[in-house]
Amino acid sequence: MADAEVDEAGTDEAGTDEGMATPEPPELHGVPLTESLGDRVLHPAPGELLRVAEALRDEGYLMCIDVTAVDYLTHGGRRDLPAGVTPERFELVVILMSHRERRRIRFRVQVPEAELEVPSLFGLYPGAEALEREVFDMYGIRFSDHPDLTRILMPEDWEGHPLRKDYAVGRIPVQFKGDPGAH
């Protein structure tokens, strides 16, 4: 099809895109970059998290405003990840902010269920300490080199992680003060 004309959309006269190479997804600091709800979204692997976070801190993203996680136990076939990023059951979500640029950037780190550990951001963003403890407490994702990785919401002897999708619902009976049935 060397003689076929290709239009601006990259399709040839027959409506196929044979004449065009598939564009590579954009990258920032060597990791895939997408956009969602007006924010840039980076998709680093767990081993790339600290390197990319440090590069962004050096560029002015000085505040970590959130660290949380998602359990995709029942939604494994997500289509919103860029090519080359394999969906995992757990996803760590980190949001950094640059006050100078008045912009946020989000990380979506796929965390394999068999290896629930990522590096702690505490060394770069000390404010992430309590947020990482909450993720550990609720989802069981461990943060290597965290200064105090202990439960923050549940009692120390609590078994399990309440925000996992396979955690049993309704295991704690609610008792109100003054309830005649309470013992």
Side-chain angles (χ1 to χ4, degrees), residues 72 92 161:
Y72 284 105
L92 182 71
H161 305 283

Side-chain angles (χ1 to χ4, degrees), residues 52-94:
V52 177
E54 184 174 18
L56 288 169
R57 185 202 57 195
D58 293 347
E59 290 176 7
Y61 285 86
L62 301 178
M63 184 176 192
C64 177
I65 59 176
D66 201 6
V67 177
T68 190
V70 181
D71 181 353
Y72 284 105
L73 177 65
T74 57
H75 301 303
R78 298 186 305 282
R79 295 188 184 128
D80 62 341
L81 295 174
V85 176
T86 305
E88 298 288 350
R89 174 178 171 181
F90 294 98
E91 181 175 281
L92 182 71
V93 180
V94 176

Side-chain angles (χ1 to χ4, degrees), residues 4-171:
E5 290 186 30
V6 178
D7 65 16
E8 290 178 16
T11 57
D12 59 25
E13 294 168 344
T16 64
D17 56 12
E18 291 179 21
M20 300 295 290
T22 305
E24 290 292 319
E27 289 186 349
L28 180 64
H29 299 294
V31 299
L33 172 70
T34 59
E35 188 173 312
S36 175
L37 303 173
D39 288 337
R40 294 183 299 168
V41 181
L42 288 171
H43 301 267
E48 299 171 313
L49 178 62
L50 282 183
R51 177 186 61 78
V52 177
E54 184 174 18
L56 288 169
R57 185 202 57 195
D58 293 347
E59 290 176 7
Y61 285 86
L62 301 178
M63 184 176 192
C64 177
I65 59 176
D66 201 6
V67 177
T68 190
V70 181
D71 181 353
Y72 284 105
L73 177 65
T74 57
H75 301 303
R78 298 186 305 282
R79 295 188 184 128
D80 62 341
L81 295 174
V85 176
T86 305
E88 298 288 350
R89 174 178 171 181
F90 294 98
E91 181 175 281
L92 182 71
V93 180
V94 176
I95 302 174
L96 303 179
M97 183 169 187
S98 168
H99 290 86
R100 181 182 58 210
E101 292 184 28
R102 295 182 182 176
R103 281 191 86 162
R104 296 176 187 207
I105 195 162
R106 186 174 19 178
F107 292 5
R108 291 180 59 191
V109 182
Q110 302 303 306
V111 183
E113 184 175 8
E115 200 173 316
L116 286 177
E117 187 166 330
V118 296
S120 174
L121 292 169
F122 177 76
L124 297 171
Y125 299 98
E129 187 266 342
L131 301 168
E132 291 177 348
R133 285 179 63 193
E134 184 177 343
V135 170
F136 165 69
D137 197 0
M138 297 289 108
Y139 292 95
I141 297 173
R142 301 188 62 78
F143 293 87
S144 60
D145 298 322
H146 190 281
D148 181 27
L149 196 60
T150 56
R151 290 197 181 266
I152 192 169
L153 298 173
M154 304 303 290
E156 280 298 321
D157 60 347
W158 193 265
E159 292 183 24
H161 305 283
L163 291 183
R164 286 188 176 189
K165 298 288 187 197
D166 56 0
Y167 190 79
V169 177
R171 291 179 29 172

